[in-house]
Amino acid sequence: MMKKCITVLLILTSFAAVGQVSVHTDMRTPTWNLIGLKYDKQVKPLVWQAVFPPALKAIDNKIIEIPGYIIPTKVGNSFSEFMFSIVPVASCPYCGTGDIPSMIEVKTLKPITWTEEPITLKGKFIINDSGDSRSTFFLLDAIKR
């Protein structure tokens, strides 16, 4: 009887181990911390507006270097336009599990081959404070470092 209990316990433990999300490399940097300062405030009923604190505005239109993960927005193996995140696809709530991470819309000078591994990009950081429905942050003329 004891052997059966131990066997069942081992089987259940193996199922629990398979269901766990793998831990990703932490990409948090001072630049990601600045991007995370953006918040939304309600300006009237059902109307919200993005707020960009001065420290975040200080990097607007500046060349930055930032690590992260490629989040494809189209089918393919290499991309000139994609989203860039502090967490990998598997941690994205739209693609896997987790909370909604800060993301940057990237436009590169040359296509970059998709990888699950983190990469570092360098490009011109733009804050979109127009209130339109495009991305809030852009990295333009980006290159892989």
Side-chain angles (χ1 to χ4, degrees):
M1 180 67 176
M2 185 62 139
K3 284 184 181 182
K4 285 184 182 181
C5 288
I6 291 174
T7 303
V8 169
L9 183 61
L10 287 173
I11 290 170
L12 291 175
T13 303
S14 67
F15 284 136
V18 170
Q20 293 178 355
V21 176
S22 61
V23 177
H24 59 273
T25 303
D26 186 3
M27 295 288 103
R28 189 154 311 278
T29 62
T31 304
W32 276 116
N33 289 339
L34 287 173
I35 292 167
L37 294 176
K38 177 240 171 216
Y39 65 94
D40 297 316
K41 75 173 186 177
Q42 189 170 11
V43 292
K44 52 184 162 177
L46 302 177
V47 178
W48 294 81
Q49 181 178 10
V51 176
F52 305 99
L56 176 54
K57 283 186 175 183
I59 64 170
D60 187 29
N61 283 304
K62 301 278 192 295
I63 302 297
I64 65 166
E65 196 167 297
I66 191 164
Y69 296 89
I70 296 172
I71 309 292
T73 55
K74 297 177 182 167
V75 175
N77 234 5
S78 65
F79 309 94
S80 296
E81 296 183 14
F82 53 89
M83 298 304 290
F84 200 58
S85 175
I86 195 167
V87 296
V89 170
S91 296
C92 170
Y94 303 113
C95 316
T97 62
D99 197 1
I100 299 173
S102 295
M103 287 200 212
I104 302 169
E105 186 171 337
V106 175
K107 297 181 188 297
T108 64
L109 292 173
K110 295 180 185 176
I112 296 175
T113 303
W114 184 81
T115 176
E116 302 182 338
E117 300 301 317
I119 63 170
T120 299
L121 296 175
K122 183 177 182 177
K124 186 176 185 180
F125 181 76
I126 303 292
I127 295 174
N128 176 16
D129 60 359
S130 68
D132 64 17
S133 61
R134 295 178 305 148
S135 295
T136 306
F137 304 113
F138 289 91
L139 191 64
L140 304 179
D141 298 331
I143 57 171
K144 184 177 173 185
R145 299 293 297 170

